[in-house]
Amino acid sequence: FGKTAASIAIAHYLSERRVFRNGVLFVSNGHHNEPLSAADIVQGLACAMKLPAHASERHVFDALHRRQSLVVIDNPDVQAWAVRTLLANMLGHAGDIKILFTAEQSLSENGPLFGVAEKVHEIQPLDKRAAARLLLRRSPRRVLPEELGAKSREALLEFLANHESLCCIPGRIVEVALMLRSHDLRAVLNSRENRMNLASARKSGMGGHTKFRKNLGRHRKM
C-alpha cells in the first residue's frame, strides 16, 4: 500500500461520505514518476474543474475560491520554490479548501511557509516477501520460476524476496513490473532502471528493511 494508493483510498472515502461540499479534486502525473511542477498542478486543477486547458493560475484560484473541497496532489515537487509558493497561495486565496499531497519528504523540510500548518503521516515500505508478491502480481505476464533458477513458484518467491536488487517501495515495484512485458525477471532486476530506483530509495533512507518516510501532508489555513 503505497502513498498514491493511500491518497486514492482517502479521496474515495471522503468523496463517498460527502465530507466536502464540492467533492475532491485529484491531480497526478498518471503512471509517470516525475514530480509535478507548479504548471502541472495548475493545469491538472483546471482539467479537474473543467476549465479551459490553458487556464491561468488566477483563473484556477478564482474557481477554487467558490468551492469547499479537498485537493489531492500526488507527488508535487516540494523542493521547488514555485510549487511551495503555489501551495501557500492556494491556501491563502482559494477559499475553503484543504490540501493533501504525497511526497518523499515533508514541505517543512525545506523551511516553513508563512500561514501554512502541516501534518505528516508516514508510510512504511513493504517487507521483502510482500514486495516480491507485488512484483509477481503486477507483472503483465506469468513469471516462470526458471527465470531465476528456481524449481517452483514458492521457491521463486523466496529467492526473489532475498534478492539484493528488490526494491520495497510499491510505486517503484509497479514501474519495474511493467518491464517484465518484454524482459525476463533476471534482466529486469539487473536493469539500469531498477538499480536507479534502488539507489534512489537507499539515498532517501527507503531501501531494504530500513524505515522511511513517505508523507501525506495535509495543509490548512492558520
Side-chain angles (χ1 to χ4, degrees):
F1 207 74
K3 59 186 176 64
T4 297
S7 68
I8 292 172
I10 291 169
H12 278 300
Y13 181 90
L14 296 176
S15 180
E16 289 172 357
R17 286 157 182 78
R18 303 184 183 222
V19 175
F20 294 88
R21 185 176 66 251
N22 299 114
V24 177
L25 301 173
F26 194 91
V27 180
S28 77
N29 210 2
H31 295 295
H32 302 289
N33 199 35
E34 294 81 7
L36 293 167
S37 67
D40 293 331
I41 295 170
V42 170
Q43 185 177 11
L45 286 170
C47 180
M49 292 187 289
K50 296 181 171 54
L51 300 176
H54 300 291
S56 66
E57 180 178 310
R58 181 169 181 174
H59 191 178
V60 168
F61 282 5
D62 286 345
L64 284 172
H65 188 72
R66 299 187 291 272
R67 302 179 68 98
Q68 196 255 334
S69 296
L70 172 68
V71 176
V72 180
I73 305 174
D74 186 29
N75 197 26
D77 185 0
V78 293
Q79 298 186 57
W81 179 250
V83 170
R84 292 161 57 78
T85 302
L86 176 70
L87 294 175
N89 289 342
M90 193 184 302
L91 289 169
H93 302 97
D96 190 12
I97 66 167
K98 301 291 187 290
I99 300 176
L100 183 151
F101 74 88
T102 68
E104 291 184 2
Q105 61 181 277
S106 67
L107 193 66
S108 59
E109 285 184 30
N110 292 285
L113 288 179
F114 178 75
V116 175
E118 178 181 32
K119 183 175 181 180
V120 176
H121 299 268
E122 297 181 7
I123 296 179
Q124 301 299 326
L126 298 175
D127 63 51
K128 287 281 193 174
R129 196 169 182 85
R133 285 198 192 96
L134 178 60
L135 179 60
L136 296 177
R137 189 169 69 245
R138 295 306 296 267
S139 171
R141 63 170 179 82
R142 181 175 176 79
V143 177
L144 301 175
E146 294 80 8
E147 294 179 40
L148 282 182
K151 294 183 178 179
S152 66
R153 189 77 173 175
E154 184 60 29
L156 172 63
L157 184 64
E158 189 67 27
F159 191 97
L160 185 56
N162 290 292
H163 199 286
E164 62 179 9
S165 295
L166 180 67
C167 183
C168 293
I169 302 171
R172 292 177 180 173
I173 292 172
V174 172
E175 288 178 3
V176 170
L178 293 175
M179 297 170 59
L180 289 166
R181 187 185 306 277
S182 55
H183 299 81
D184 68 24
L185 183 55
R186 191 181 300 277
V188 167
L189 290 173
N190 293 326
S191 68
R192 178 175 177 272
E193 291 86 350
N194 186 58
R195 291 199 305 272
M196 288 176 65
N197 273 341
L198 193 61
S200 175
R202 286 173 175 165
K203 184 178 180 181
S204 301
M206 299 183 292
H209 295 283
T210 307
K211 290 186 177 181
F212 73 104
R213 299 203 317 173
K214 279 202 170 192
N215 306 318
L216 295 175
R218 188 180 69 179
H219 302 255
R220 57 178 176 80
K221 292 187 287 186
M222 298 289 282

